[in-house]
Amino acid sequence: QKEVEQNSGPLSVPEGAIASLNCTYSDRVSQSFFWYRQYSGKSPELIMSIYSNGDKEDGRFTAQLNKASQYVSLLIRDSQPSDSATYLCAAQYSSASKIIFGSGTRLSIRP
Amino acid sequence: GAGVSQSPSNKVTEKGKDVELRCDPISGHTALYWYRQSLGQGLEFLIYFQGNSAPDKSGLPSDRFSAERTGGSVSTLTIQRTQQEDSAVYLCASSLWTSGGGEQFFGPGTRLTVL
């Protein structure tokens, strides 16, 4: 059973600090990885996708992928209260397969 | 419209009744997905469509659940003889298959309550 694992949290980070969210996956051949943000009572929205080993930066967000260690992480710099949400990690094992979502990490940014 | 739309936004039904949930994907998106999310829980995959065909129906919880997609666009998820455990938010998402399907855009969901 292919799985994506996340710490459910809550993860509490002071405003202005770096929030680090981690995710591990079980299948070595997985190809594509995604981070979604879900505010309470709302639908998930895509933040970033990453396909190659290394870092990918987009504004205050950096996704990091390490296929050898089978983990993907999301760093949020200069955390803001508006970043408080549940962050879902997702993996896709081939271009023809569905994506597998983790159960999400709840992030709380304290002022 | 610009985004994925779903209807109804809320549905309250009695146990044993059938319900139909509708999803209208983003124009041009060939892949369409249905998920279920119970309160405080993660996303539960139900089924996805590539065009009008469903390569993966593995997430449908029972034979009371079915889905179809016509014209490569609108999809309907039908739940027959609803049970209280079917109460959840049903989310639909669509994507361009050229992206591998992982970059999904979600609709606002249908909140189903079975009394």
Side-chain angles (χ1 to χ4, degrees):
Chain A
Q1 176 76 11
K2 298 180 176 67
E3 291 183 348
V4 175
E5 304 273 353
Q6 294 182 258
N7 187 318
S8 62
L11 175 65
S12 181
V13 174
E15 184 175 356
I18 296 175
S20 178
L21 302 160
N22 299 310
C23 171
T24 59
Y25 58 93
S26 63
D27 194 311
R28 286 188 172 276
V29 301
S30 50
Q31 294 186 347
S32 309
F33 303 88
F34 309 89
W35 283 100
Y36 285 80
R37 176 176 63 198
Q38 186 173 25
Y39 291 113
S40 181
K42 301 295 184 182
S43 299
E45 56 180 331
L46 179 69
I47 301 175
M48 292 190 71
S49 55
I50 186 166
Y51 303 96
S52 304
N53 275 328
D55 295 359
K56 179 180 178 182
E57 187 174 320
D58 184 359
R60 295 186 297 112
F61 298 95
T62 299
Q64 299 175 319
L65 175 59
N66 184 323
K67 290 190 176 183
S69 300
Q70 294 178 232
Y71 82 78
V72 56
S73 61
L74 180 69
L75 302 177
I76 307 174
R77 289 182 299 281
D78 187 24
S79 297
Q80 303 296 309
S82 60
D83 295 326
S84 297
T86 296
Y87 289 79
L88 302 168
C89 173
Q92 187 174 29
Y93 294 92
S94 74
S95 61
S97 72
K98 65 179 185 279
I99 70 171
I100 309 293
F101 281 90
S103 57
T105 297
R106 192 153 51 94
L107 175 65
S108 176
I109 307 300
R110 56 182 191 270
Chain B
V4 178
S5 60
Q6 292 186 246
S7 61
S9 55
N10 278 286
K11 178 71 177 178
V12 180
T13 190
E14 294 179 347
K15 178 181 173 181
K17 300 285 189 183
D18 297 351
V19 296
E20 281 192 355
L21 311 179
R22 175 188 168 107
C23 173
D24 210 331
I26 292 172
S27 178
H29 280 194
T30 56
L32 185 150
Y33 310 79
W34 283 101
Y35 298 91
R36 179 168 73 173
Q37 188 171 37
S38 300
L39 189 62
Q41 302 299 308
L43 292 174
E44 178 187 3
F45 168 81
L46 298 178
I47 186 171
Y48 90 86
F49 290 90
Q50 172 57 7
N52 291 333
S53 65
D56 191 337
K57 307 178 184 180
S58 63
L60 293 177
S62 73
D63 59 8
R64 296 186 296 105
F65 288 73
S66 63
E68 65 175 13
R69 188 180 186 194
T70 54
S73 182
V74 172
S75 176
T76 302
L77 177 68
T78 300
I79 309 173
Q80 296 179 309
R81 306 181 301 282
T82 51
Q83 304 294 311
Q84 288 183 332
E85 61 263 27
D86 299 335
S87 296
V89 175
Y90 288 80
L91 292 164
C92 174
S94 70
S95 72
L96 283 169
W97 195 250
T98 51
S99 71
E103 296 179 353
Q104 301 183 5
F105 296 84
F106 284 80
T110 294
R111 181 175 299 278
L112 175 66
T113 303
V114 182
L115 301 176

